[in-house]
Amino acid sequence: AKGIMTSIAETGYRLMVQLASTVRLDTLSDYAGIIYYPEDVNHSIDFLFYCDHHHIPLVLLDKSLDLFQFPSVVADNKGGACQLTQHLIEQGCDQISFVATGSFGEVSSVRDRYLGYLAAMAESSLKSHYFPKTETETTDAYLDRLVKTLSETTATKRGLVVENDWLAIQLIQKITQVGLSIPDQVAIVGFDNSQASRLLSPKLSTAAQDFYQMGQEAAKVLLQIIHEPDQAVVSCQLPVQVFIRESSH
C-alpha cells in the first residue's frame, strides 16, 4: 500500500484497502478505480466481470488473467525462476524438480515460475520433472511423499525449485528431520524473499519482488486509465532480485 500511496499522494484521491469478499458489487461504481490482487481466480470472476461490464477502471496486481483485458503489474516470475534453476544446475545437481501445490491454470505467477524453470532446464542436459500434488492430498501429505521420494532416490544431489518460500520452508524442515543434508544432498530454492527465509537455518535461496515499486506502477497505470480512458494501456513487468543463500550453496 505504501507504493500506491506515494503515487496518489498529490492527486486528491484517497486510498481504501479492503478485502474483495467484503465489498458489495453494486458499490464498486462508487470508486474512481480499483487495484486488485486476485488471490483466488475462481472466486474473482464475478468481481472482475462486474468491473469489466460496468467499465470500472481496474489494474491487476502481481497476477495476470487471460479471461479479461485488464492491465496488470507483475514481477518477472519467469526470469527469477530461470535464474534460480540455472544456479542449481551450476551447483551440480543431477536431478532438478519443480515443486508446487497450486494449479498452473489458476495462478499465473506460479505458471510463469514453472516456465522459467523449464526454460533453464531446456538449456541443460537434464530432464525436467514436475512433482504434482493429487487433488485429495493435503499439503502435509504431499510434502511427506516428496521427502520419501528424495530419501529413496539414487541421485547424488537433487535440486528443488519450489513455488514459494512458504512451501520451501516446510520442505526444509521435513528434509532435515529425515537426516538428509541441505545443500549437499538436496539443494532448495524458493520464491518471494519472505522474512522467514532469512531467519531459517539454513537460510533459503530465493527471489525478491519489489512490492513497493509494484504498488507505485499499479497506481500510475490506474491513474492513466482514469484520466486518459481512450489511450492504450500497457501492462508492466518488473525485475526480481535473486538471493543465493545456504539452502543451495
Side-chain angles (χ1 to χ4, degrees):
K2 289 182 180 179
I4 299 172
M5 287 292 294
T6 301
S7 291
I8 68 169
E10 304 298 328
T11 65
Y13 291 107
R14 183 164 56 97
L15 176 66
M16 293 182 65
V17 180
Q18 295 175 276
L19 292 172
S21 58
T22 66
V23 179
R24 283 172 38 202
L25 294 181
D26 60 4
T27 67
L28 292 177
S29 297
D30 296 337
Y31 298 91
I34 297 169
I35 296 173
Y36 183 60
Y37 175 78
E39 280 192 285
D40 186 327
V41 176
N42 288 332
H43 292 100
S44 301
I45 292 177
D46 288 354
F47 185 98
L48 293 169
F49 177 81
Y50 187 94
C51 292
D52 186 45
H53 185 69
H54 291 85
H55 307 291
I56 298 170
L58 184 143
V59 176
L60 294 166
L61 186 63
D62 190 44
K63 295 177 176 65
S64 59
L65 294 176
D66 299 331
L67 301 172
F68 302 95
Q69 298 302 309
F70 295 120
S72 60
V73 175
V74 299
D76 184 9
N77 289 288
K78 181 179 178 181
C82 185
Q83 289 182 62
L84 288 165
T85 306
Q86 288 170 340
H87 162 67
L88 292 181
I89 294 169
E90 292 165 1
Q91 292 304 302
C93 295
D94 39 19
Q95 288 184 23
I96 302 175
S97 301
F98 189 83
V99 179
T101 58
S103 166
F104 296 157
E106 292 180 12
V107 185
S108 64
S109 56
V110 177
R111 179 188 63 212
D112 290 347
R113 290 168 195 176
Y114 183 54
L115 289 172
Y117 158 80
L118 290 176
M121 294 297 284
E123 296 297 319
S124 75
S125 60
L126 301 175
K127 289 185 177 180
S128 60
H129 176 256
Y130 167 52
F131 195 86
K133 175 180 174 292
T134 66
E135 288 186 12
T136 57
E137 257 182 333
T138 63
T139 298
D140 198 55
Y142 166 73
L143 294 177
D144 284 341
R145 181 166 59 86
L146 173 55
V147 171
K148 185 174 185 293
T149 301
L150 292 172
S151 300
E152 296 170 350
T153 187
T154 57
T156 306
K157 185 171 183 177
R158 190 78 176 261
L160 300 177
V161 180
V162 187
E163 65 170 305
N164 57 43
D165 288 355
W166 175 77
L167 194 65
I169 289 167
Q170 294 181 76
L171 191 50
I172 285 175
Q173 292 170 339
K174 288 181 176 292
I175 289 171
T176 303
Q177 287 171 2
V178 299
L180 291 173
S181 174
I182 300 172
D184 296 330
Q185 292 175 286
V186 184
I188 303 174
V189 297
F191 211 103
D192 289 333
N193 194 36
S194 63
Q195 184 178 8
S197 72
R198 303 186 292 277
L199 301 175
L200 186 70
S201 181
K203 293 181 175 66
L204 178 64
S205 295
T206 184
Q209 305 167 75
D210 190 336
F211 288 110
Y212 181 86
Q213 188 181 2
M214 288 173 68
Q216 278 188 312
E217 293 300 324
K220 289 176 184 177
V221 172
L222 183 60
L223 290 169
Q224 182 184 344
I225 298 171
I226 293 170
H227 296 302
E228 302 174 16
D230 297 327
Q231 295 295 315
V233 178
V234 179
S235 292
C236 178
Q237 180 175 269
L238 301 175
V240 300
Q241 183 176 1
V242 169
F243 293 92
I244 301 304
R245 300 186 180 121
E246 299 161 0
S247 69
S248 64
H249 181 65

